[in-house]
Amino acid sequence: MPADPVKSLAAALAASAGAELELERPGEVEYGDYATNVALQLAGARRRPPREIAAEIAEAAAALDMVERADVAGPGFVNLYLRDDWFASALGEILEEGDAYGGRGAERAERVQVEMVSANPTGPILVSHARNGAYGDSVARLFELAGHSVAREYYYNDSGGQMDRFRASVEAVRRGEEPPEDGYQGAYVRDLAALKGDPVPLMLKEMEGTLERFRIHFDTWRRQSELEDRLPELLPRLDTYEKEGALWARSSAYGDEEDRVLLRSGDGSPTYRAADVPYLVDKLERGFDRAIYVLGADHHGTRNWYAAVARMLGYDPDRIEVLIYQPVHLTRGGEQTKMSKRRGDVVFLDEFMDEIGVDAARWYLVNRGPDQAIDIDVDLAAERSQKNPVYYVQYAHARIAGILRNAPDNADNSLLLAGPDPRRRRLSPLLPRAPRARERAGGIQARPLPRNASGDRTLPRPCRRRGT
RNA sequence: GCGCCCGUAGCUCAGUGGACAGAGCGGCGGACUUCUAAUCCGCGGGUCGGAGGUUCGAAUCCUCCCGGGCGCACCA
């Protein structure tokens, strides 16, 4: 049973109020340690003035031994002032739990896979990819905290048009020529040309190093071409048809916006979408209860495709979850930097970490919600001054570390509340709030889904909100 | 045209139904005049893009409109 003192308090109150209720922390100190608006919510249903209901709840609350005082305020809020010894025992529970405090809320531990970054090995990891990783890895950590087991996977393409252009660019330099016009021009192409062998594994090795430095460790790396080998056995299980010489998946009948080409009309070679099919089967057959895709907003058009494939193959589409995040824009010297990998005109994650450090880099990328486009002023981010918000975070961390360093092991919890400084007392109600903060953070962003032809919203449900 | 995301203070953004809408930076006014300090204190600042609607109560939910980003490939 996870320690959640506030929940127990809410439950005790709910019993006396005769209704479920949530405790919130009021914005103002004088409104007490916690407050509830149940009376306001109940007023309509019970056809009684909210303040009257609030008065009854307050009276019942005041009878509880942890409650010092309960007031009715405003239109019908109940403000609670709690006894210091309640906080002392709450703090005791928190200390007992240690790092696990607030975690392990999952009703059933699941095996979840988070597939993230998955940038093709045609160049170093960029800051834009790093947002994918920072987001995905944070979600993964939240799942772990909740008691699930998480595997982080990287999926990359090692064949196809982009890869051909990439290899051709390296080969050209090796022959002493310039890379082709539509090839990759960055300086790293020259570095790779100086080495022997297929540049793809070399590139991947470097990318892995960058990601490790960014503190993301991938458990597995999945190659597109090996997945494609399973295509022949899987294609007959799909709902497909031929049109204009190509093989199409009838995905629009399964919640997708449109049908997708699986095999090209020319040489019958598989498209990138085709490889998604064996990959999805692979994920689900490997025993993951849940497969999470982390995709940039430029891929949101394919959001419903994955669930459509799952349906076609008879899997529960709720096992697929697609997380979308908005792009990152970088400015440097007041100018927006371009993000074209082919032209080599980009900010690499390694440079970014060199300039601002790993902590600051992760912090910047995860500090905004996924729905928010991020603008990062690289000059400001690298600046060691009070203009740079990251130093506030670091300073707070340093101060906390200092407190822990100086704190005796056998500290008396009650002293946290008793000291002469009233600010301690004001801080205390924050601590038991942590489980709720984590619950909120663990809920995956849901998004309204497009209606299908019949105006029904229920069929495609690849994304949904869920607690952990 | 259709779909998704966004539009809150000069700037970057918190705030997904409640008690007077917040923070950092910048700005303005003071203090300190300092041997590698995140210098300190104070102040001003918003029709919450617009219009309707739901509600006892809306920045928050619904509808429409305006503005910005992204997508709608036999590219990945």
Side-chain angles (χ1 to χ4, degrees), chain A residues 5 146 151 218 245 278 291 323 340 363 376 405 413 448:
Chain A
F218 286 92
L323 266 31
S340 164
W363 184 82
I376 299 179
R405 200 166 47 242
N413 297 332

Side-chain angles (χ1 to χ4, degrees), chain A residues 258-276:
Chain A
E258 58 192 348
D259 292 346
R260 313 271 178 181
V261 173
L262 296 172
L263 300 180
R264 295 188 179 90
S265 56
D267 54 0
S269 63
T271 61
Y272 183 80
R273 292 276 76 88
D276 289 334

Side-chain angles (χ1 to χ4, degrees), chain A residues 172-461:
Chain A
V173 175
R174 281 174 178 166
R175 287 193 306 270
E177 299 164 16
E178 283 299 306
E181 190 62 25
D182 63 347
Y184 292 81
Q185 316 283 341
Y188 64 89
V189 173
R190 282 156 217 291
D191 298 339
L192 288 168
L195 302 168
K196 296 225 181 312
D198 185 354
V200 170
L202 299 171
M203 192 71 249
L204 276 168
K205 198 78 210 152
E206 191 190 318
M207 295 163 89
E208 182 175 14
T210 302
L211 289 163
E212 288 285 343
R213 184 183 169 202
F214 195 55
R215 294 201 207 105
I216 300 180
H217 175 76
F218 286 92
D219 302 293
T220 42
W221 296 70
R222 217 85 182 120
R223 207 172 69 225
Q224 182 177 324
S225 62
E226 76 182 299
L227 262 359
E228 279 169 350
D229 295 342
R230 288 193 63 190
L231 216 40
E233 74 177 87
L234 256 19
L235 281 181
R237 288 176 55 192
L238 294 173
D239 187 352
T240 58
Y241 62 92
E242 275 186 51
K243 193 178 83 179
E244 291 157 15
L247 186 73
W248 294 69
R250 207 184 308 277
S251 42
S252 62
Y254 298 83
D256 197 1
E257 285 81 13
E258 58 192 348
D259 292 346
R260 313 271 178 181
V261 173
L262 296 172
L263 300 180
R264 295 188 179 90
S265 56
D267 54 0
S269 63
T271 61
Y272 183 80
R273 292 276 76 88
D276 289 334
V277 176
Y279 190 28
L280 187 132
V281 171
D282 177 77
K283 285 168 189 267
L284 266 23
E285 280 184 357
R286 269 194 284 159
F288 293 110
D289 298 301
R290 187 174 299 279
I292 296 179
Y293 293 80
V294 183
L295 301 177
D298 54 339
H299 289 87
H300 80 258
T302 60
R303 208 179 47 192
N304 293 326
W305 158 248
Y306 300 100
V309 173
R311 277 192 198 93
M312 257 188 250
L313 294 170
Y315 293 109
D316 177 2
D318 281 350
R319 291 171 67 188
I320 309 299
E321 210 129 15
V322 179
L323 266 31
I324 301 288
Y325 62 93
Q326 298 298 315
V328 182
H329 305 288
L330 299 171
T331 55
R332 177 167 251 163
E335 301 242 335
Q336 202 168 103
T337 63
K338 308 286 188 300
M339 287 297 243
S340 164
K341 193 157 40 167
R342 285 227 290 271
R343 285 170 36 207
D345 187 16
V346 291
V347 179
F348 298 129
L349 176 56
D350 272 310
E351 297 172 351
F352 190 57
M353 289 190 286
D354 289 344
E355 286 191 54
I356 79 172
V358 179
D359 294 317
R362 279 190 74 124
W363 184 82
Y364 264 107
L365 293 170
V366 114
N367 181 37
R368 302 260 177 274
D371 285 342
Q372 202 67 241
I374 302 182
D375 289 300
I376 299 179
D377 182 334
V378 181
D379 299 320
L380 174 63
E383 200 173 302
R384 299 191 69 84
S385 78
Q386 63 165 334
K387 282 188 196 168
N388 186 350
V390 85
Y391 291 107
Y392 288 86
V393 179
Q394 289 186 349
Y395 183 62
H397 178 267
R399 289 294 299 271
I400 291 165
I403 291 168
L404 292 176
R405 200 166 47 242
N406 295 320
D409 288 337
N410 57 349
D412 178 356
N413 297 332
S414 63
L415 292 178
L416 273 167
L417 304 154
D421 189 338
R423 284 175 295 183
R424 298 183 190 191
R425 186 64 177 71
R426 274 158 58 181
L427 219 45
S428 302
L430 288 175
L431 292 167
R433 298 278 299 169
R436 231 146 336 287
R438 284 176 171 177
E439 268 172 30
R440 273 187 67 185
I444 288 168
Q445 203 91 10
R447 216 156 268 102
L449 289 155
R451 293 169 202 278
N452 61 22
S454 55
D456 181 3
R457 248 179 215 280
T458 57
L459 179 61
R461 279 186 61 230

